Amino acid sequence: MLKPEIRTVLSRGFLCLGIAIVMTVPAWPQDTPQDLGNKSLEDLMNIEVTSVSKKEQRLSRTASAIFVITAEDIRRSNATNIPDLLRMVPGVDVAQINANTWAISARGLNGRFSNELLVLLDGRNVYTPTFGGVFWDVLDLPLEDIDRIEVIRGPGGSVWGANAVNGVINIIQKKASETKGAMIVAGGGNEDQAFGTTQYGASLGSRLDYRIFAKYFNQDHLAGPTAQDGGDGWHILRGGFRTDGTVSPNDTITVQGDIYTGRQGNPSIFLPSVTSPGTLDFDPQVDLAAGYLQSIWNHVYSNRSDSTLVVSFDTYDRDDVLREVRRTFSADFHHHFAWGERQDVVWGLGYRYSSSHTDGNLSVSLNPADLNTQIFSSFIQDEIALVPNRLYLTAGAKLEHDYYTGLGLWPSARMAWNLNEHRMFWMAISNAARIPSSIDTALRLNFGGFTEANGTPVLIGLEGNPYFKSEGLVAYEAGYRTTILSRLTIDFAAYYNNYDNQQTIEPAPPFFENTPPPPHLFVPVTYENLMHGETHGAEITANWKITDRWTLSPEFEFERIHMHVSPASLDTTSAPATEGSDAHQHARIRSHVDLPHGLAWDTSADFVGRLIFLNIPSYTRLDTGISWQCTKGISISLVGQNLVRNEDLEFIDTTQSALSTFVKRSAYAKLTWQF
């Protein structure tokens, strides 16, 4: 018998599916910057993705909830950054905290550092092991250079390893051969005050293509809680390159990288010293600097076998409260081959070394301040054609050894059933885990203090737990993809997630300490793994080519989160905070209309239900833009964003490491010149 929660998910989900069919309004993944109306039904079912299995795989054989943002979607999106692009993905929660900070998660558990979402750039891991999450402010590159963004909702641990719990986002850039010529992008508005990109690409001989670029933006501050300057304005200057070379008929090598420098306002609340009477407002200006270098070598042994080696080095320096400098080297090798007539195997090895130095201060610090960690990993995955061209079973697992918890094993099993060339059903069961971060194990955060009647100073704070465990997940998923009529596609997914060892905050024994002076009593709380729970939900997307000029793409998703603490826990806030950090309902619709004389009109409306724990009411975001291809190579765009209300509060960071400001109504103009 199915659990009541699962029956609820399936019944509600198929009801949503029926409503969508009646409304005949849909959307699903695409792979090229062409309109879906120009594709045949066979093309739609045979779109290829690479992030699910580290190999090219047709969507009709992909047993996973995956959405692809294509280059054409990006061009039509009216977005100026990657977080706003991700608003179009079903099952992904995007909320702006302030001008330079976002909370982004997949299938719930949202926060400033959503530590159960893994993010990759061309397969390079950009998840920070210090905080557990992603610095979205510096994950920035020319949007015109993105080929696609593959978003997996659900676990990816059996291929990508630790922290690929609720989802995987892989940003894949265009080859240098696809960006030849010069490009100039310039624009500005009331919030995005000035932005621009200059780029040039060409060939050196017949075997090497390259491009170089420079990008700059300056973003205004948002409004603070009392309509004052939020102090969160920021700017970044970035430059980079990519080369794609053919070494031999069987070997290609890509080398790419970039560097950036910038500065941002990050208003926060901290306790500057033991003798402070309470928390004080602190409005630092954070200096940013970083860069990376990555090489990708692909070797083709035959039409049945190939391998890829990815080697990267990246570094960042953030002059925030921890003043962290981190250097990371990683190498990832995987080999794909066909075994017999019915099996397709991918296996691989990985290594990651990361070195971190932090300065900290009297308010917040890490102990130890310097830490070097290593991760060793291996994985194998086998796709078996149980019934050729009809029924496929994919089974695999990843074995990983990390600094904090030792060995971890994350298996998965997936089934894809092609009912016919236009319909497929899939189901999966997966195991994944989020390993501890430096914040979980080594944090010291002072957040209050007072003096006892006898004159003893007392400090209250949070200490990391060096014995903190990995947070685990077992996920059950099912989905259905179909094409209806000649212009309609529908993608439906439902899930039930079972979490264990989730983080709680528990009291710990007080103790005296002499530093920092004066000698004082420290009353700590610490992290423990005393919460468990489940989430369930469903997502439906559709794409309807109403006419040759008009496309509608609606989406709807709902989810419920139920968290429970063990009898030994004294934490009364973590469970309701987790349950109420995401909206129960989320709906959006995107419209694209091709108008005469080179004009196009793109609109998106996004409804987000209320965030119960954060006491944030529901809101609707409306973005719209007109673009004009005035001549070959020159286009002009006028865009309005967040047009419904002038100031919306989208999220509150409960840790107060970033204070929330109000998203403003904004507009900008952009000129793109390619020659």
Side-chain angles (χ1 to χ4, degrees):
M1 295 290 292
L2 292 174
K3 291 185 177 182
E5 296 91 340
I6 301 178
R7 290 200 301 270
T8 301
V9 171
L10 295 177
S11 61
R12 292 180 181 176
F14 282 109
L15 176 61
C16 295
L17 179 61
I19 293 173
I21 294 173
V22 173
M23 294 175 61
T24 59
V25 280
W28 80 336
Q30 312 159 45
D31 68 329
T32 66
Q34 301 175 1
D35 209 342
L36 284 176
N38 298 326
K39 288 180 173 290
S40 67
L41 298 180
E42 290 78 13
D43 289 336
L44 291 171
M45 293 300 286
N46 291 325
I47 291 168
E48 290 192 342
V49 295
T50 60
S51 299
V52 177
S53 301
K54 287 193 177 182
K55 66 175 182 178
E56 290 187 351
Q57 188 176 29
R58 289 183 300 179
L59 191 63
S60 59
R61 286 166 55 174
T62 302
S64 180
I66 184 168
F67 187 93
V68 181
I69 303 174
T70 68
E72 185 68 8
D73 292 330
I74 295 171
R75 187 181 66 83
R76 296 174 176 178
S77 67
N78 300 320
T80 58
N81 54 59
I82 289 174
D84 281 347
L85 282 177
L86 295 174
R87 292 181 187 271
M88 73 174 70
V89 182
V92 172
D93 303 300
V94 179
Q96 190 164 2
I97 299 175
N98 59 41
N100 56 67
T101 310
W102 286 264
I104 301 177
S105 68
R107 294 182 171 175
L109 311 187
N110 204 8
R112 180 188 178 187
F113 295 106
S114 298
N115 51 28
E116 300 192 351
L117 175 67
L118 188 68
V119 181
L120 312 162
L121 178 58
D122 289 317
R124 179 176 62 90
N125 192 330
V126 297
Y127 183 101
T128 170
T130 302
F131 297 92
V134 175
F135 291 119
W136 292 101
D137 52 347
V138 295
L139 187 56
D140 179 58
L141 60 151
L143 299 186
E144 296 79 8
D145 290 342
I146 298 177
D147 179 65
R148 65 191 186 277
I149 303 176
E150 297 181 0
V151 183
I152 302 169
R153 294 109 60 200
S158 61
V159 171
W160 297 104
N163 309 317
V165 179
N166 285 344
V168 177
I169 297 175
N170 192 8
I171 303 165
I172 301 170
Q173 299 186 74
K174 294 177 181 177
K175 296 179 180 179
S177 60
E178 300 173 307
T179 55
K180 292 181 181 179
M183 179 183 71
I184 297 176
V185 178
N190 65 320
E191 184 178 341
D192 293 304
Q193 292 185 323
F195 59 88
T197 301
T198 60
Q199 180 170 288
Y200 181 74
S203 298
L204 292 176
S206 61
R207 293 191 172 188
L208 182 66
D209 301 305
Y210 73 92
R211 69 167 174 261
I212 56 174
F213 76 88
K215 180 180 180 182
Y216 173 80
F217 71 84
N218 180 30
Q219 187 163 337
D220 194 15
H221 66 84
L222 298 180
T226 58
Q228 82 280 16
D229 182 340
D232 52 358
W234 59 312
H235 63 269
I236 287 181
L237 174 63
R238 180 186 302 266
F241 76 98
R242 174 171 175 138
T243 64
D244 292 289
T246 301
V247 180
S248 74
N250 295 328
D251 295 274
T252 59
I253 293 181
T254 296
V255 180
Q256 61 185 11
D258 73 24
I259 58 173
Y260 67 80
T261 182
R263 190 173 176 83
Q264 66 179 225
N266 186 25
S268 306
I269 293 180
F270 296 100
L271 179 66
S273 71
V274 178
T275 58
S276 171
T279 57
L280 299 177
D281 289 335
F282 180 53
D283 186 5
Q285 288 294 313
V286 178
D287 291 322
L288 309 169
Y292 85 92
L293 187 65
Q294 179 181 18
S295 68
I296 305 171
W297 172 35
N298 180 261
H299 177 74
V300 177
Y301 302 97
S302 69
N303 60 1
R304 294 168 55 87
S305 177
D306 62 84
S307 65
T308 300
L309 175 65
V310 181
V311 178
S312 67
F313 173 79
D314 61 83
T315 175
Y316 69 76
D317 185 346
R318 292 183 70 97
D319 189 24
D320 55 14
V321 291
L322 282 179
R323 297 179 181 175
E324 183 185 20
V325 177
R326 179 173 288 277
R327 309 281 187 263
T328 302
F329 169 82
S330 65
D332 181 89
F333 171 82
H334 62 269
H335 178 211
H336 161 238
F337 64 94
W339 186 12
E341 297 300 320
R342 295 196 176 191
Q343 290 180 267
D344 205 53
V345 179
V346 181
W347 68 274
L349 301 171
Y351 173 74
R352 182 177 173 90
Y353 173 84
S354 195
S355 172
S356 172
H357 167 76
T358 60
D359 289 335
N361 53 47
L362 293 177
S363 303
V364 57
S365 60
L366 296 179
N367 182 22
D370 299 341
L371 184 64
N372 302 327
T373 61
Q374 298 183 88
I375 293 178
F376 301 89
S377 64
S378 63
F379 82 97
I380 187 168
Q381 184 166 276
D382 188 7
E383 181 188 85
I384 306 169
L386 300 178
V387 179
N389 300 319
R390 280 288 182 264
L391 186 62
Y392 296 89
L393 170 66
T394 302
K398 184 152 191 172
L399 181 67
E400 194 166 276
H401 184 279
D402 72 87
Y403 173 83
Y404 294 108
T405 61
L407 282 175
L409 178 66
W410 302 298
S412 70
R414 300 177 178 273
M415 186 82 74
W417 180 19
N418 292 329
L419 303 174
N420 57 40
E421 60 182 345
H422 306 316
R423 295 183 297 149
M424 68 90 67
F425 173 80
W426 63 270
M427 59 191 303
I429 179 172
S430 311
N431 179 251
R434 196 275 291 188
I435 64 174
S437 67
S438 298
I439 293 295
D440 298 319
T441 61
L443 178 66
R444 171 63 183 266
L445 173 64
N446 301 326
F447 51 73
F450 61 93
T451 302
E452 291 185 327
N454 61 6
T456 302
V458 178
L459 187 61
I460 304 172
L462 173 65
E463 273 201 322
N465 179 0
Y467 304 104
F468 190 78
K469 304 174 185 177
S470 293
E471 297 177 327
L473 165 71
V474 177
Y476 307 87
E477 303 174 86
Y480 179 71
R481 298 186 182 103
T482 186
T483 57
I484 303 172
L485 308 175
S486 61
R487 294 173 177 257
L488 176 62
T489 62
I490 291 177
D491 193 340
F492 169 77
Y495 61 92
Y496 175 81
N497 291 343
N498 191 352
Y499 297 90
D500 63 4
N501 290 331
Q502 297 295 294
Q503 186 181 83
T504 58
I505 299 178
E506 309 291 345
F511 57 89
F512 277 93
E513 57 183 6
N514 293 319
T515 57
H520 56 276
L521 177 69
F522 183 58
V523 181
V525 293
T526 190
Y527 293 122
E528 297 288 353
N529 301 90
L530 298 180
M531 185 168 64
H532 64 279
E534 60 278 343
T535 68
H536 57 270
E539 305 139 355
I540 183 169
T541 69
N543 187 284
W544 184 23
K545 186 74 173 177
I546 299 176
T547 70
D548 290 339
R549 292 181 176 269
W550 185 19
T551 303
L552 279 180
S553 303
E555 304 165 7
F556 177 77
E557 68 254 14
F558 71 88
E559 66 180 356
R560 293 294 186 273
I561 304 174
H562 306 285
M563 288 292 168
H564 320 279
V565 295
S566 73
S569 173
L570 298 177
D571 187 337
T572 60
T573 60
S574 289
T578 303
E579 293 176 349
S581 61
D582 293 284
H584 289 170
Q585 293 88 24
H586 197 161
R588 66 180 63 84
I589 186 167
R590 292 179 289 131
S591 170
H592 172 77
V593 182
D594 286 315
L595 300 171
H597 310 296
L599 293 169
W601 178 28
D602 292 280
T603 301
S604 64
D606 197 342
F607 170 79
V608 180
R610 68 190 183 102
L611 302 182
I612 298 174
F613 181 79
L614 301 177
N615 197 28
I616 296 178
S618 62
Y619 65 90
T620 299
R621 177 186 173 106
L622 176 65
D623 298 344
T624 189
I626 291 285
S627 62
W628 178 34
Q629 190 75 39
C630 50
T631 65
K632 183 178 180 180
I634 299 179
S635 64
I636 299 172
S637 301
L638 298 175
V639 176
Q641 297 176 312
N642 197 46
L643 297 179
V644 176
R645 291 190 299 185
N646 185 36
E647 294 180 353
D648 272 322
L649 183 64
E650 294 189 356
F651 200 84
I652 296 174
D653 176 21
T654 55
T655 68
Q656 295 187 329
S657 62
L659 295 187
S660 298
T661 52
F662 292 85
V663 180
K664 298 188 295 187
R665 183 183 292 129
S666 62
Y668 71 84
K670 182 175 74 170
L671 169 69
T672 303
W673 182 20
Q674 295 174 302
F675 56 96

